Amino acid sequence: MKKQLSIIIIMIALTALFVLGCQTARTGHRPKIVIYTSMYADVVDAVSEKLTHRFPNYRIEFVQGGTGILQARIAQEMPKGRLSADILMIAEPAYSLELQEKGILHPFMFTDAHQLVFDYDPDGYWYPVRVSNMVLAYNPARHMRVTVPNSFFDFAYDTRVGGAVSMRNPLVSGTTMAALTAFRDKYGFAYFEALGRQRVIIDYGVDESLLRLETGESKTVMILEESILNARQKRNLAFEIIYPTDGTVVIPSNIMIINNQWSANRNTQAAEEIAEWFLSMEGQAAIVAGWMHSVRSDFPYPPNGSIPIREIQANSIPVIWENVFRQHQEIRQRFEEYIASGRY
């Protein structure tokens, strides 16, 4: 009798497992990974399609927004003891230092780390995954190059373009915050005062900057190179990039995995596989197709319409990422005081 009962229990258990398996197949249940990213929405769409093809057994979701917006979201989630993300791809590296210090990141060893052009954490807490370049741009249909600033210094000090230059809001755009910190390190806070006297226009989105260029309202804009490459190829807007004579601001963006204590879905193995893909040649091809530069030394070509990253780095304004991290509040306050307030 006991033997028969044991057989019946085993059969019931096997049947339950079979039914559960069928239900899983029917409902398409797959492990979920959520990625917070500041990449542009159209790039996210293209990358998402490639990831779905590469990882059919994972359900990968993106939350897209400006770096400042994503940082604010994470700050709201932290008191709950759990983030709603598993992977972060924020625009600039300083935030990696903050999250690493808070004990939120999961280390992993990228097999081809020796191929990376930019710095990475030796313990594997963060790696560069894409490169954006802060440049200047103008519309040759509206203005001649000799009449617009060709350097970041002249962007702030050339009175001929007063009230006709624009830049993104650094409180929303992490790359702009990084650039302002680099300008402060190079030129001092006098640069912020000069931007205020220049009556620089603050744009809250890329489309706003591009529209000002198109209409001629802005003679020059401070903008990411990828935004202009995108506009030229997808919108057929004949804008020209100026790699500033005093140096381009080169901004590598990191990829980070949230550890199991803090992550949304506690699946660091899946997150590692996805991060490895982003850093692979295949993943970097997707990045470059989105008009950003590869972080790998062995990647063979730059984004369409750009020049090799080594040439850009040869004349660049250095960014001290520790300053971006530690002095964020001071930069923000001086921006609001000298530039955003309209005091001049």
Side-chain angles (χ1 to χ4, degrees):
M1 184 68 180
K2 290 182 179 179
K3 184 176 180 181
Q4 290 177 336
L5 183 60
S6 298
I7 292 172
I8 291 171
I9 291 172
I10 291 171
M11 290 179 65
I12 291 173
L14 290 173
T15 302
L17 287 172
F18 175 76
V19 171
L20 179 62
C22 291
Q23 288 176 340
T24 299
R26 285 197 302 270
T27 59
H29 175 74
R30 294 168 294 168
K32 181 179 177 181
I33 294 292
V34 177
I35 303 173
Y36 282 7
T37 183
S38 59
M39 292 190 300
Y40 294 146
D42 55 347
V43 177
V44 170
D45 291 341
V47 170
S48 180
E49 184 177 343
K50 295 180 186 300
L51 279 172
T52 299
H53 177 75
R54 176 63 179 80
F55 298 102
N57 295 326
Y58 297 150
R59 184 156 55 99
I60 303 170
E61 297 180 3
F62 284 88
V63 175
Q64 189 274 337
T67 293
I69 293 172
L70 293 176
Q71 287 174 329
R73 180 170 181 152
I74 291 169
Q76 290 178 337
E77 293 172 350
M78 280 184 181
K80 302 173 185 177
R82 179 76 62 85
L83 304 186
S84 297
D86 303 286
I87 295 175
L88 301 180
M89 297 174 67
I90 307 297
E92 47 81 17
Y95 197 48
S96 303
L97 304 179
E98 179 179 343
L99 295 181
Q100 183 179 357
E101 193 171 90
K102 291 180 182 294
I104 289 174
L105 302 183
H106 165 78
F108 76 103
M109 303 314 295
F110 172 49
T111 53
D112 283 346
H114 63 282
Q115 296 287 5
L116 297 176
V117 177
F118 296 88
D119 290 339
Y120 58 91
D121 182 67
D123 296 319
Y125 284 100
W126 46 264
Y127 295 94
V129 70
R130 58 191 169 106
V131 184
S132 299
N133 298 304
M134 190 65 74
V135 297
L136 298 174
Y138 75 104
N139 183 354
R142 299 283 184 178
H143 304 285
M144 298 175 61
R145 180 158 180 162
V146 294
T147 66
V148 302
N150 279 239
S151 69
F152 284 124
F153 183 88
D154 288 342
F155 181 83
Y157 285 96
D158 187 344
T159 57
R160 295 177 302 166
V161 294
V165 294
S166 71
M167 59 183 283
R168 291 286 308 283
N169 187 337
L171 308 186
V172 176
S173 167
T175 51
T176 306
M177 177 61 76
L180 279 181
T181 306
F183 300 150
R184 190 285 311 272
D185 291 344
K186 185 175 179 66
Y187 296 121
F189 278 119
Y191 188 86
F192 287 43
E193 296 183 63
L195 286 175
R197 289 192 297 270
Q198 191 77 307
R199 305 186 310 283
V200 61
I201 303 166
I202 304 302
D203 294 331
Y204 285 82
V206 173
D207 288 342
E208 195 176 348
S209 299
L210 296 176
L211 181 60
R212 293 189 199 280
L213 271 187
E214 191 171 8
T215 61
E217 180 183 359
S218 288
K219 295 181 179 179
T220 308
V221 298
M222 181 193 302
I223 197 167
L224 291 179
E225 176 195 40
E226 65 212 55
S227 301
I228 300 301
L229 297 177
N230 182 315
R232 291 200 310 211
Q233 294 166 38
K234 295 194 71 173
R235 307 188 195 186
N236 200 31
L237 296 171
F239 301 152
E240 291 294 330
I241 294 171
I242 298 174
Y243 297 98
T245 56
D246 51 353
T248 298
V249 182
V250 179
I251 305 168
S253 169
N254 289 346
I255 189 166
M256 301 162 273
I257 297 174
I258 307 302
N259 63 35
N260 278 337
Q261 177 185 345
W262 285 91
S263 65
N265 297 289
R266 294 183 173 179
N267 193 343
T268 53
Q269 179 180 345
E272 285 188 14
E273 293 175 21
I274 293 167
E276 284 265 356
W277 179 85
F278 270 108
L279 294 166
S280 71
M281 293 293 279
E282 181 183 352
Q284 289 294 286
I287 292 293
V288 172
W291 303 283
M292 295 166 286
H293 289 259
S294 172
V295 296
R296 294 183 62 115
S297 61
D298 56 348
F299 196 84
Y301 54 87
N304 188 17
S306 182
I307 59 178
I309 189 62
R310 291 294 194 187
E311 292 184 25
I312 296 173
Q313 285 180 293
N315 182 29
S316 61
I317 297 177
V319 183
I320 302 173
W321 297 109
E322 189 73 18
N323 288 352
V324 181
F325 169 32
R326 302 290 179 188
Q327 301 169 19
H328 176 89
Q329 287 303 321
E330 184 181 13
I331 299 296
R332 176 188 182 122
Q333 289 168 6
R334 295 297 184 97
F335 164 77
E336 292 176 334
E337 179 183 357
Y338 293 129
I339 303 171
S341 65
R343 61 184 287 187
Y344 293 100

